[in-house]
């Protein structure tokens, strides 16, 4: 273990560390519940889950560095902390790299989740474009750590002869692109959601689920504001808030993107036994609307919500019009939930109503197949 001059931990620094420790604990708890929800639904893990699991130790590593910095004089003038400056700067290099990879991993996890859930071609293409943009942003974020100073050793050792670019400006630029990618990612599915034929309250609910990540964007904006007040000539005294918000952001991001995944687990913990169901019912002939509605039905025309989130699936939509005929018994309704073999589920079939003169029946099906 390296040696350093120990300073008393300032109350504000201690408070920041406690807050981030609590946040990290909540994040671990939610991620654990996310895994329980995935396994209990029978869906198992997919790439978006693995990416979050990869991001968790990175976010915790930033918290560890924050804790290691605390007794090194964070909040004290650099004239007093100069003996520790080399150690602080070396950890700052690691801190920047971990921040870049953790935030990127979380963004990619969300985008991969979109590819798993949505089958709309336009949205999938937009998601692939966003993935490319995030990849380029990650490369740029990583390169600036190594290229901002020449030679690289000057980044963590001011005694080395050389020159450095405006590091604070590069931090702010990277942070600005971070916010732009957040907005792009969070708004990508909204047009698709609002084009669905479902009740407005249901659309608002789904929109809220996807927009919960804007909390992280607010933190990212606050982080940029604190970066504008960062003075590398007096690093230890001016880095208090930048250090705090930079550690908060990835942990909060993991928490926010994992919370919506707990829906099926919540359903199991309530009076509704089993998985959440999505059903479709058409308005009757005298109704004023032809839009579909969300409903919960314990009989046929059901589909487990987690089946929509199963990996390697293809979803097809089919609508058919046929003359009324004697309906098949309920036990003949197609309802297969094998996540491995795929399923064909009648979501919108109208219950048969006796009619002396016959009539026309409209039947709509979603067919979900798994590779």
């Amino acid at each position: 273990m390296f040696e350093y001059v120990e300073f008393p931990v300032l109350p504000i620094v201690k408070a920041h560390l406690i807050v981030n420790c609590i946040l990290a604990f909540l994040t671990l708890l939610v991620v654990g519940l996310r895994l329980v929800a995935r396994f209990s639904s029978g869906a198992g893990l997919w790439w978006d889950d693995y990416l979050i699991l990869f991001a968790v130790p990175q976010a915790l590593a930033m918290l560890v560095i924050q804790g290691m910095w605390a007794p090194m004089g964070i909040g004290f003038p650099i004239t007093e902390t100069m003996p520790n400056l080399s150690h602080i700067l070396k950890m700052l290099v690691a801190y920047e790299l971990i921040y870049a990879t953790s935030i990127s991993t979380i963004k990619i996890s969300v985008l991969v989740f979109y590819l798993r859930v949505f089958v709309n071609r336009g949205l999938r293409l937009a998601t692939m474009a966003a993935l490319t943009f995030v990849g380029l942003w990650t490369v740029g974020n990583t390169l600036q750590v190594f290229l901002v100073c020449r030679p690289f050793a000057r980044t963590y050792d001011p005694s080395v002869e050389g020159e450095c670019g405006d590091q604070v400006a590069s931090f702010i630029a990277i942070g600005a692109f971070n916010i732009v990618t957040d907005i792009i990612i969070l708004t990508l599915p909204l047009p698709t959601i609002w084009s669905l034929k479902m009740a407005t309250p249901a659309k608002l609910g789904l929109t809220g689920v996807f927009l919960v990540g804007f909390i992280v964007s607010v933190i990212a904006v606050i982080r940029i504001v604190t970066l504008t007040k960062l003075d590398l000539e007096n690093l230890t005294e001016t880095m208090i808030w930048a250090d705090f918000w930079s550690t908060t952001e990835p942990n909060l991001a993991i928490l926010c993107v994992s919370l919506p995944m707990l829906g099926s687990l919540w359903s199991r913990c309530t009076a509704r036994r089993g998985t959440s169901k999505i059903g479709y019912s058409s308005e009757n002939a005298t109704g004023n609307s032809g839009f579909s509605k969300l409903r919960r039905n314990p009989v046929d025309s059901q589909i487990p919500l987690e089946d929509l989130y199963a990996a390697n699936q293809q979803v097809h939509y089919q609508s058919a019009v046929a003359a009324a005929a004697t309906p098949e018994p309920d036990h003949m309704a197609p309802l297969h939930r094998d996540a491995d073999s795929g399923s064909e589920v009648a979501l919108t079939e109208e219950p048969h109503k006796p009619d002396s003169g016959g009539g026309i029946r409209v039947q709509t099906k979603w067919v979900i197949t798994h590779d």
Side-chain angles (χ1 to χ4, degrees):
M1 183 67 180
F2 57 84
E3 296 181 359
Y4 63 91
V5 177
E6 187 171 347
F7 288 79
V9 179
L10 295 179
I12 184 65
V13 176
K14 185 180 295 184
H16 287 173
L17 191 57
I18 291 173
V19 169
N20 277 334
C21 285
I22 295 173
L23 177 60
F25 172 77
L26 294 175
T27 299
L28 288 173
L29 178 62
V30 170
V31 171
L33 291 175
R34 172 179 178 160
L35 298 181
V36 171
R38 294 290 289 161
F39 283 116
S40 63
S41 69
L45 302 183
W46 207 56
W47 284 108
D48 55 318
D49 304 300
Y50 290 121
L51 287 167
I52 286 297
L53 291 177
F54 180 61
V56 167
Q58 298 178 68
L60 294 179
M62 295 185 68
L63 178 60
V64 170
I65 293 177
Q66 182 188 10
M68 294 175 67
W69 273 337
M72 289 187 178
I74 302 304
F76 289 85
I78 199 170
T79 53
E80 300 179 25
T81 60
M82 189 61 70
N84 297 332
L85 185 60
S86 178
H87 298 312
I88 293 173
L89 290 176
K90 287 178 181 178
M91 285 190 286
L92 181 60
V93 173
Y95 192 78
E96 292 178 52
L97 287 172
I98 296 172
Y99 173 84
T101 55
S102 63
I103 291 295
S104 300
T105 302
I106 297 166
K107 292 177 188 292
I108 294 172
S109 173
V110 175
L111 291 170
V112 170
F113 170 75
Y114 290 170
L115 292 178
R116 176 161 65 90
V117 173
F118 296 103
V119 296
N120 178 282
R121 178 175 174 80
L123 177 56
R124 292 178 69 86
L125 290 175
T127 300
M128 295 299 294
L131 275 170
T132 302
F133 185 81
V134 170
L136 294 175
W137 175 80
T138 304
V139 172
N141 204 354
T142 304
L143 289 178
Q144 68 87 22
V145 175
F146 294 100
L147 301 179
V148 70
C149 290
R150 297 183 298 273
F152 172 66
R154 185 171 172 77
T155 306
Y156 55 85
D157 188 354
S159 64
V160 175
E161 293 186 2
E163 59 181 9
C164 289
D166 192 336
Q167 291 175 276
V168 175
S170 68
F171 295 160
I172 295 173
I174 292 295
F177 278 104
N178 177 33
I179 296 172
V180 170
T181 55
D182 279 348
I183 295 174
I184 292 174
I185 292 171
L186 293 173
T187 56
L188 267 178
L190 298 188
T192 298
I193 291 174
W194 283 90
S195 67
L196 295 175
K197 292 184 177 181
M198 63 171 60
T200 299
K203 292 181 182 179
L204 291 174
L206 284 174
T207 300
V209 166
F210 284 102
L211 293 187
V212 69
F214 270 121
I215 299 173
V216 182
S217 298
V218 172
I219 298 301
V221 171
I222 296 174
R223 175 177 173 270
I224 289 181
V225 173
T226 62
L227 287 174
T228 61
K229 300 177 181 179
L230 185 65
D231 181 6
L232 294 182
E233 298 298 324
N234 188 20
L235 178 64
T236 53
E237 188 173 14
T238 60
M239 68 182 290
I240 294 178
W241 287 98
D243 171 28
F244 171 64
W245 291 116
S246 296
T247 303
T248 300
E249 186 180 350
N251 283 285
L252 185 61
I254 295 172
L255 178 68
C256 287
V257 302
S258 297
L259 278 175
M261 308 297 180
L262 307 185
S264 61
L265 185 63
W266 173 257
S267 298
R268 289 177 174 82
C269 295
T270 59
R272 302 183 185 91
R273 179 178 175 81
T275 59
S276 300
K277 313 291 182 179
I278 290 183
Y280 175 108
S281 64
S282 300
E283 292 289 323
N284 57 36
T286 60
N288 295 323
S289 172
F291 291 111
S292 58
K293 295 181 178 179
L294 286 177
R295 66 183 174 94
R296 298 181 182 272
N297 193 329
V299 292
D300 289 336
S301 301
Q302 298 174 342
I303 179 170
L305 180 60
E306 51 265 32
D307 276 2
L308 292 176
Y309 298 155
N312 303 321
Q313 67 179 12
Q314 296 292 329
V315 182
H316 308 279
Y317 173 87
Q318 177 182 354
S319 180
V321 179
T326 303
E328 294 180 346
D330 288 344
H331 69 273
M332 296 298 290
L335 181 58
H336 310 289
R337 299 177 182 174
D338 187 347
D340 295 324
S341 63
S343 61
E344 178 180 323
V345 185
L347 292 178
T348 62
E349 184 173 359
E350 279 286 322
H352 177 70
K353 298 178 181 179
D355 190 331
S356 59
I360 295 177
R361 180 181 63 173
V362 178
Q363 183 182 43
T364 307
K365 291 184 180 181
W366 289 95
V367 179
I368 302 177
T369 58
H370 302 269
D371 298 332

